[in-house]
Amino acid sequence: MSTRHLIACAALAATLQGCSLMPPSPSTLDGTSVAPAIPAEFPAGAEAQNSASLAWRDFFDDPHLAALIDTALANNQEMSILLQEIEISKSEVTARTGEYLPSVRLRGGIGIDKVGEYTREGAVEENLEVAPDKEFPEPLADFKLAAELSWEVDIWNKLRNAKKAAVLRYLATGEGRNFMVTRLVAEIAASYYELIALDRRLAILDKTIEIQRQALETVRLQKAAAKATELAVRRFEAEVAKNRSRIYSLRQQVVETENRINYLAGRYPQPVERSVEGFEDKEPASVHLGAPADLLVRRPDVVQAELELAATQFDVQSARARFFPSLDISAAVGLQSFSAGSFATTPESLLYNLAADVLMPLINRKALEAAYASATAAQLQAVYRYQQAALKAYMEVLNQLARIDNLGHRFSLKRDQVTALSDATDIAGLMFTSARADYLEVLLTQREAQESKLELVEIRLMQMDAMVKMYQALGGGYQPGGPAEG
């Protein structure tokens, strides 16, 4: 092939590179829509507002909680590991980009060669002269310095599609980071409210123990006056001991919860500052749902699944292009001589070459067929994962919606029970002091009042947890087209 023909082939290849074999839209596969068939609205109805559009700093108004979240986003080790995975994915994009660009390298070398006289090369050298009265040097040296170019011309966009797939996977890792942010924010918030609830349970137990100790002193006085028995004294003592033992169990839970928060914040154990007062009276933040379609653009895990799906489409196109001919161009220019003295002599020591190879698989294409089949199966997997992610997001919102509603009714009724039992405790204490009620009525009433107060705190904690999980289920703090706030 002449130099003119090679230049014409290179020009044709450059023209063909501009004709991009674009895959179908990420919302279609072989002409069929793969978009999740998500309902038009939630059972509670459509809302114009969507709490997911609020940054977590605006959604959580507790300054201690905000400080913990800030620390966790800056120091959490799992987040740092994920950021390095993003850098690895970014490097993959750079590597894929370099594959379809020409590669130029500089080669330099020195060698020496002595062939046997009774070989073809030796016989040729014996009968040739380099110049009059001068034979080939023996042994024969070789000095070379040349720039070499190699280029696989990406005619069918095989390499460019591989690069586009790498770019989409890099973007998907960014969405994975955003999902990690929403999950970390929710986990810190849930643990923070759990810690406050444990503090409130301890306060309730301390107050209950104080009341029971007063009742114990009363029954001891009544026994001394022959108005009560040793049985009553022992029952009150047992009740006080039981509640005191529960305190140590709660303190252990406090330690473990604080350590879990510190672990998430990426720091060694230390006290966690928190606002305890008014926990039962603090209403959970209102959460607005928006429309179900918002989940497709506001849930980072759904967006990540969509990007993975788009990447597999480019994988399929790249695998398909491997069945087509490939064009490789190579060239070199430099200096070469068997003598150091004549190495820089031009044009005698000048070397150059230009070559083009067209390769096409003809026989035994099983490996290519297997790679194409694997890429196609991976694309179908990505479709199902995308649809599964959307279905999971919708189900999570519905579950938390029902949970918030049911917990609201439970809390209202439990609060009425606490009020009634608190009044009953006061009445039972007065009646016991005036010998109008026996000690069993006092014990049972105090126990029921204590349990109802603890259950009230537990329900409030579940309400706060449901609020946090709903915020996360909607996409909490993630802004479409940008990173989650962190």
Side-chain angles (χ1 to χ4, degrees):
M1 182 180 291
S2 67
T3 302
R4 184 179 60 186
H5 290 141
L6 288 175
I7 295 174
C9 287
L12 175 62
T15 302
L16 289 173
Q17 282 187 6
C19 303
S20 177
L21 300 177
M22 291 297 294
S25 166
S27 62
T28 61
L29 180 61
D30 296 331
T32 304
S33 174
V34 299
I38 198 164
E41 62 181 38
F42 293 109
E47 290 185 271
Q49 289 181 286
N50 190 330
S51 294
S53 62
L54 293 175
W56 62 261
R57 286 187 177 86
D58 298 324
F59 189 78
F60 299 108
D61 57 359
D62 189 316
H64 298 305
L65 175 57
L68 284 172
I69 294 174
D70 268 327
T71 303
L73 293 177
N75 301 331
N76 182 265
Q77 285 85 1
E78 188 174 354
M79 182 70 69
S80 299
I81 292 171
L82 187 58
L83 289 177
Q84 296 311 308
E85 290 180 2
I86 294 175
E87 288 300 316
I88 293 172
S89 182
K90 184 178 179 180
S91 299
E92 179 69 16
V93 173
T94 303
R96 294 292 183 181
T97 302
E99 287 182 352
Y100 64 78
L101 298 176
S103 174
V104 180
R105 59 183 180 178
L106 184 64
R107 180 191 294 272
I110 300 175
I112 191 169
D113 187 22
K114 167 65 173 71
V115 298
E117 293 184 7
Y118 299 109
T119 63
R120 179 172 182 173
E121 291 80 2
V124 169
E125 290 182 5
E126 282 289 327
N127 295 292
L128 289 180
E129 291 184 351
V130 178
D133 302 326
K134 187 175 182 180
E135 298 179 349
F136 275 95
E138 188 175 343
L140 186 66
D142 185 24
F143 300 89
K144 183 177 181 180
L145 179 65
E148 299 178 343
L149 176 143
S150 60
W151 182 26
E152 180 180 354
V153 185
D154 196 18
I155 302 175
W156 315 110
N157 278 342
K158 174 182 66 177
L159 302 177
R160 289 181 182 272
N161 283 334
K163 178 248 186 178
K164 291 175 182 177
V167 170
L168 288 169
R169 288 194 170 90
Y170 166 65
L171 296 176
T173 58
E175 296 302 328
R177 183 260 180 192
N178 293 335
F179 182 64
M180 175 65 184
V181 168
T182 62
R183 192 179 69 186
L184 183 60
V185 168
E187 194 168 354
I188 285 283
S191 298
Y192 178 79
Y193 292 129
E194 181 181 350
L195 189 59
I196 294 176
L198 288 170
D199 289 338
R200 288 297 303 136
R201 292 193 193 110
L202 283 170
I204 290 171
L205 279 178
D206 285 338
K207 188 173 181 179
T208 301
I209 290 171
E210 182 61 30
I211 293 174
Q212 289 176 343
R213 279 176 173 168
Q214 294 175 3
L216 177 58
E217 291 301 321
T218 301
V219 77
R220 282 173 176 167
L221 292 174
Q222 289 182 344
K223 179 194 172 189
K227 294 181 179 180
T229 64
E230 179 65 19
L231 177 60
V233 173
R234 302 301 290 173
R235 289 294 298 270
F236 273 100
E237 288 177 344
E239 193 70 15
V240 171
K242 182 190 77 173
N243 287 321
R244 290 184 64 187
S245 69
R246 293 180 67 178
I247 285 180
Y248 292 100
S249 175
L250 289 174
R251 286 178 179 173
Q252 177 62 27
Q253 294 180 50
V254 167
V255 171
E256 293 177 359
T257 306
E258 280 191 322
N259 286 339
R260 180 167 70 248
I261 292 174
N262 286 318
Y263 174 77
L264 293 172
R267 64 190 189 186
Y268 283 93
Q270 57 185 273
V272 175
E273 295 185 11
R274 52 207 184 256
S275 304
V276 181
E277 297 300 325
F279 180 68
E280 292 93 327
D281 299 326
K282 182 178 180 180
E283 292 291 334
S286 299
V287 181
H288 302 284
L289 305 181
D294 294 339
L295 297 174
L296 301 181
V297 295
R298 291 195 177 276
R299 281 274 299 230
D301 55 332
V302 177
V303 178
Q304 181 182 17
E306 185 179 10
L307 289 170
E308 292 283 358
L309 170 59
T312 59
Q313 293 183 308
F314 286 109
D315 288 336
V316 171
Q317 293 290 354
S318 181
R320 181 182 298 162
R322 296 183 184 278
F323 291 98
F324 304 146
S326 63
L327 173 62
D328 294 333
I329 295 178
S330 61
V333 62
L335 299 171
Q336 186 174 20
S337 174
F338 57 70
S339 171
S342 61
F343 179 73
T345 303
T346 56
E348 290 82 358
S349 296
L350 180 67
L351 75 87
Y352 61 87
N353 62 67
L354 179 64
D357 295 312
V358 178
L359 302 175
M360 181 173 180
L362 294 178
I363 302 175
N364 193 15
R365 303 192 302 175
K366 295 295 184 183
L368 298 179
E369 292 171 358
Y372 181 73
S374 296
T376 303
Q379 186 181 35
L380 289 173
Q381 279 185 329
V383 170
Y384 300 140
R385 288 195 184 101
Y386 177 42
Q387 295 173 343
Q388 182 186 48
L391 178 61
K392 178 183 177 183
Y394 184 76
M395 291 298 185
E396 286 179 356
V397 172
L398 286 191
N399 289 341
Q400 297 306 321
L401 181 64
R403 188 180 178 209
I404 288 173
D405 182 61
N406 290 325
L407 286 173
H409 293 301
R410 280 188 63 189
F411 186 83
S412 178
L413 295 172
K414 184 60 67 174
R415 185 162 48 188
D416 292 341
Q417 181 188 11
V418 168
T419 302
L421 286 173
S422 295
D423 294 340
T425 300
D426 295 336
I427 294 171
L430 292 174
M431 292 179 66
F432 180 67
T433 303
S434 60
R436 296 171 58 189
D438 61 27
Y439 72 93
L440 285 177
E441 291 179 294
V442 176
L443 275 176
L444 291 175
T445 305
Q446 289 179 348
R447 185 180 297 172
E448 289 176 359
Q450 171 190 291
E451 294 301 328
S452 66
K453 290 176 182 177
L454 294 175
E455 288 175 6
L456 185 69
V457 172
E458 182 66 24
I459 295 173
R460 179 61 88 196
L461 174 60
M462 289 190 289
Q463 283 184 303
M464 303 300 285
D465 184 70
M467 175 265 294
V468 170
K469 283 187 168 54
M470 176 64 88
Y471 181 63
Q472 181 191 10
L474 293 172
Y478 166 71
Q479 301 298 327
E485 185 185 358

